[in-house]
């Protein structure tokens, strides 16, 4: 039975769908991080060369959303969700069969094209069903639930790599995509009814994106969230080199480190809607950006001689800030654009993955140790995000 927009209760089934769709990209990336040394040895490439599997994923993820979002506004969410999950599963299968780096990168690009559709539509579906404070709460709970998959996936990835080999990790995420598709069909189905869809003849995607990209109601909060999310993905990209090469952790210890960060995201996700209800979304979002900046700057203090404790403390501060600004900034950006939720969500996703691609690329290109490169990226991203968000925080609500 299709869900109409009037049905605004966040059930467990809807939460599972939103969290699964939004976490799919991070899950597909994080689960393979502990296996990088074995993947490199198997394919005869270095860990630095394997960075191409991350940057190519981010680029394809970014651009793919620009098409998926507006198409879902015209034709509805259902077939875009199912098609995206099918493409994602096919990409995972190709990655599992890869015997060269080029073949693996191709599989990762296909994975990204499917995952980006799932990610952009998770936000669009949330906007279909919720508005205002309920939307912020739905996004916060989605982030909490969705953090479990990317947070624990390195631990699962290290176990799978040790027991069954790195290829099995790709099969596991492909299977998860199929489970999400079945759950969507049985429990949720279409959330964007015909009477709310954009008319195909009137759709001018380029000009619509142009208007949205120059609207400060969208651009300022979306850019601030995207810069912080870009920093988060840079943490994912650099963590194996920092923790396994610089600090000598094992793959299992790397996975355990990622798993403990889930608690921080859980705490921030629970706090965000409650604090926003009391102090306002913009004020709490600003506080989140200050925490993220503190994390980036603290990374600088120990960049010359990092330790596991200093790295963990800096990332914890950054994650706490991310957990506050992400759901609240996203809700602020999407709130004025209910009829264009797919398009707005797509542009937001493009900005996020664009920042992720730039952050990961700069981190690998800088002539610095990985920990110092990460300090530069996190500090720069959070400082820019704070400056961009200040007009939003200072603007009076109408």
């Amino acid at each position: 039975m299709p869900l109409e927009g009037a049905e605004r209760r966040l059930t467990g089934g809807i939460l599972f769908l939103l969290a699964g769709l939004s976490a799919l990209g991070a899950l597909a990336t994080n689960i393979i991080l502990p296996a990088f040394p074995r993947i490199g040895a198997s394919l005869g490439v270095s860990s630095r060369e394997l960075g191409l599997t991350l940057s190519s994923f981010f680029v394809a993820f970014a651009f793919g959303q620009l098409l998926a979002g507006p198409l879902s506004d015209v034709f509805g969410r259902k077939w875009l969700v199912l098609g995206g999950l099918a493409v994602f599963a096919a990409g995972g299968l190709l990655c599992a069969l890869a015997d060269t780096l080029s073949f693996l990168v191709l599989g990762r690009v296909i994975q990204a094209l499917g995952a980006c559709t799932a990610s952009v539509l998770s936000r669009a579906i949330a906007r279909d069903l919720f508005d205002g404070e309920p939307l912020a709460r739905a996004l916060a709970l989605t982030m909490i639930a969705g953090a479990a998959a990317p947070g624990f996936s390195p631990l699962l990835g290290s176990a799978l790599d040790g027991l069954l080999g790195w290829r099995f990790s790709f099969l596991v995420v492909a299977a998860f995509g199929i489970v999400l598709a079945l759950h969507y069909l049985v429990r949720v189905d279409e959330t964007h009814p015909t009477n709310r869809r954009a008319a195909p003849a009137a759709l001018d995607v380029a000009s619509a994106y142009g208007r949205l990209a120059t609207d400060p109601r969208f651009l300022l909060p979306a850019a601030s969230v995207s810069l912080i999310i870009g920093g988060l993905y840079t943490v994912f990209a650099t963590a194996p080199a920092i923790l396994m090469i610089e600090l000598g952790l094992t793959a299992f210890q790397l996975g355990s480190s990622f798993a403990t960060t889930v608690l921080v995201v859980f705490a921030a996700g629970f706090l965000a809607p409650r604090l926003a209800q009391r102090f306002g979304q913009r004020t709490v979002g600003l506080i989140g950006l200050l925490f993220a900046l503190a994390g980036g700057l603290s990374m600088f203090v120990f960049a010359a001689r990092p330790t596991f404790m200093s790295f963990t403390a800096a990332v914890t501060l950054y994650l706490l800030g991310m957990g506050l600004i992400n759901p609240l900034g996203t809700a602020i950006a999407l709130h004025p654009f209910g009829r264009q939720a797919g398009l707005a969500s797509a542009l937001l996703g493009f900005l996020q993955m664009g920042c992720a691609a730039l952050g990961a690329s700069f981190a690998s290109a800088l002539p610095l140790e990985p920990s110092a490169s990460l300090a530069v990226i996190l500090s720069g991203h959070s400082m820019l995000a704070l400056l961009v968000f200040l007009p939003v925080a200072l603007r009076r609500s109408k």
Side-chain angles (χ1 to χ4, degrees):
M1 177 70 68
L3 285 169
E4 297 294 333
E7 297 184 43
R8 299 180 182 273
R9 190 166 62 90
L10 184 61
T11 65
I14 294 174
L15 180 59
F16 174 77
L17 176 74
L18 296 179
L21 293 177
S22 66
L24 206 58
L27 169 64
T29 294
N30 288 14
I31 198 170
I32 64 172
L33 294 180
F36 262 31
R38 288 181 184 265
I39 296 174
S42 176
L43 302 182
V45 297
S46 67
S47 294
R48 182 175 290 271
E49 289 175 293
L50 279 177
L52 186 59
T53 65
L54 301 179
S55 58
S56 62
F57 185 94
F58 296 153
V59 171
F61 199 110
F63 282 98
Q65 294 178 94
L66 295 179
L67 183 61
L71 283 177
S72 74
D73 284 337
V74 174
F75 301 110
R77 317 299 184 205
K78 180 175 181 177
W79 296 112
L80 271 296
V81 170
L82 296 177
L85 292 172
V87 170
F88 175 79
L93 181 60
L94 286 177
C95 289
L97 298 173
D99 56 359
T100 65
L101 178 60
S102 299
F103 200 92
L104 181 60
V105 169
L106 174 62
R108 288 284 289 165
V109 168
I110 294 173
Q111 257 193 330
L113 293 176
C116 75
T117 303
S119 178
V120 69
L121 293 182
S122 72
R123 293 185 294 268
I125 290 170
R127 184 61 186 87
D128 289 341
L129 300 174
F130 307 101
D131 194 9
E133 292 295 339
L135 175 61
R137 180 173 176 271
L139 291 170
L141 290 176
T142 297
M143 183 191 69
I144 292 170
F152 286 106
S153 56
L155 195 60
L156 175 62
S158 65
L160 291 173
D161 178 40
L163 294 173
L164 301 168
W166 60 267
R167 298 179 188 277
F168 202 77
S169 296
F170 289 108
L171 297 178
V172 168
V173 294
F176 181 66
I178 295 172
V179 169
L180 278 177
L182 294 174
H183 176 76
Y184 175 83
L185 276 174
V186 173
R187 297 291 300 276
V188 181
D189 210 67
E190 184 62 68
T191 60
H192 192 51
T194 305
N195 62 352
R196 296 179 59 187
R197 295 178 190 176
L203 185 64
D204 185 344
V205 175
S207 64
Y209 274 129
R211 289 191 299 271
L212 194 61
T214 55
D215 190 328
R217 296 175 301 167
F218 172 83
L219 182 61
L220 297 181
S224 62
V225 170
S226 299
L227 285 163
I228 297 301
I229 295 298
L232 175 67
Y233 275 94
T234 307
V235 173
F236 295 160
T238 56
I242 296 172
L243 295 177
M244 297 178 73
I245 297 176
E246 285 192 46
L247 301 181
L249 270 65
T250 65
F252 180 80
Q253 290 171 324
L254 172 68
S256 301
S257 175
F258 269 88
T260 58
T261 62
V262 173
L263 299 176
V264 181
V265 180
F266 279 9
F270 276 116
L271 284 173
R274 290 164 174 76
L275 292 175
Q277 192 171 19
R278 182 172 181 180
F279 301 107
Q281 293 180 352
R282 298 169 185 172
T283 299
V284 179
L286 184 64
I287 293 171
L289 291 171
L290 291 172
F291 272 112
L293 179 59
L297 293 177
S298 64
M299 186 82 70
F300 256 121
V301 175
F302 300 98
R305 299 185 65 182
T307 65
F308 177 72
M309 290 302 297
S310 66
F311 176 83
T312 302
V315 170
T316 297
L317 280 174
Y318 191 86
L319 286 175
L320 180 59
M322 184 276 297
L324 294 176
I325 185 59
N326 183 23
L328 301 181
T330 299
I332 293 169
L334 296 184
H335 171 72
F337 307 101
R339 292 188 64 86
Q340 295 177 299
L343 187 121
S345 179
L347 187 55
L348 175 60
F350 172 80
L351 293 173
Q352 289 180 0
M353 287 301 104
C355 289
L358 289 174
S361 299
F362 279 127
S364 62
L366 289 173
L368 302 169
E369 291 297 317
S371 55
S373 296
L374 181 60
V376 171
I377 299 301
L378 293 188
S379 299
H381 277 216
S382 52
M383 178 64 76
L384 284 174
L386 181 61
L387 293 175
V388 168
F389 193 77
L390 275 175
V392 179
L394 299 175
R395 188 174 64 219
R396 289 182 178 273
S397 299
K398 294 184 178 179

